[in-house]
């Protein structure tokens, strides 16, 4: 009987170690390739001539179109409010990956410069990831979260800024702290396609209200990169 108990205990330890080795914390995820993939979509960048003194009131007054990526690692930023997650605090073993697609204008205000604009953002909170998973293939990450939730755990949020349209609600549904599984991946893709359709189509844009707002999450230096 004692021998059986010892064997069972040994098996439990082996399984536990194997399980731990097969999963990495969110802070250990390498986002280099994924960041590069999003950065390739950058379009018009910032220049000194882009700075103005007046706050933009319409979309036509914006003069820069960029994709801005921001990453917050729990080892360095634990306790901060995670962007897009309604005040949720970042854990020590988590990483927040944020992508902002924005049309902007930099405005001088006293001794400071402020970024105004419109656009949307996607936010991913990586809690843990199956070891060896290709982070640049978000479809694979979503599939792993669906089928191996004990090894991959990722959540997402979607937001828009300064964009109001009856057509948009048919395509883009704001999300907060939702599970990034196969369904979540589909929601993100369809939402991005939908809002880009509204932003790019001349007829839909005419039926859309664009109100540039202060983008506190984007710094002027982000538009210089």
């Amino acid at each position: 009987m004692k021998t059986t108990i010892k064997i069972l205990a040994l098996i439990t330890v082996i399984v536990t170690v194997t399980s731990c080795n097969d999963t990495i914390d969110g802070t250990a995820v390498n986002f280099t390739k994924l960041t590069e993939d999003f950065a390739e979509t950058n379009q018009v960048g910032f220049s000194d001539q882009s700075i103005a003194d007046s706050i933009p009131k319409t979309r036509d007054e914006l003069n820069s179109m960029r994709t801005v990526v921001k990453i917050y690692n729990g080892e360095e930023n634990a306790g901060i409010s995670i962007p897009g997650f309604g005040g949720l605090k970042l854990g020590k073993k988590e990483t927040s990956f944020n992508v902002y697609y924005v049309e902007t204008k930099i405005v001088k205000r006293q001794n400071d410069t402020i970024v105004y604009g419109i656009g949307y953002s996607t936010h991913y909170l990586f809690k843990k990831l199956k070891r060896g998973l290709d982070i640049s293939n978000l479809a694979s990450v979503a599939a792993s979260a669906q089928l191996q939730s004990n090894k991959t755990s990722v959540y997402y949020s979607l937001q828009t800024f300064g964009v109001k349209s009856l057509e948009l609600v048919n395509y883009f549904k704001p999300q907060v702290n939702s599970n990034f599984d196969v369904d979540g991946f589909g929601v993100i893709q369809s939402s991005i396609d939908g809002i880009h359709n509204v932003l790019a189509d001349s007829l839909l844009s005419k039926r859309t209200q664009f109100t540039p707002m202060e983008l506190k999450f984007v710094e002027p230096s982000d538009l210089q990169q």
Side-chain angles (χ1 to χ4, degrees), residues 195-214:
I195 192 170
H196 272 283
N197 188 37
V198 171
L199 294 173
D201 186 275
S202 57
L203 293 178
L204 291 179
S205 291
K206 289 180 180 179
R207 297 197 294 267
T208 301
Q209 180 180 340
F210 297 104
T211 307
M213 58 185 291
E214 182 178 346

Side-chain angles (χ1 to χ4, degrees), residues 2-65:
K2 292 183 178 179
T3 301
T4 301
I5 294 176
K6 289 182 179 180
I7 292 175
L8 290 174
L10 180 60
I11 291 175
T12 301
V13 171
I14 292 175
V15 170
T16 302
V17 171
T18 302
S19 176
C20 291
N21 289 338
D22 200 29
T23 302
I24 60 175
D25 293 334
T27 53
V29 179
N30 187 342
F31 293 94
T32 302
K33 182 61 171 65
L34 187 59
T35 301
E36 291 174 349
D37 290 344
F38 281 109
E40 290 176 0
T41 65
N42 285 346
Q43 297 185 40
V44 182
F46 163 83
S47 67
D48 291 337
Q49 289 73 31
S50 301
I51 301 178
D53 294 319
S54 59
I55 295 176
K57 302 297 183 182
T58 68
R59 184 186 185 187
D60 290 339
E61 296 177 67
L62 305 176
N63 49 30
S64 178
M65 185 183 301

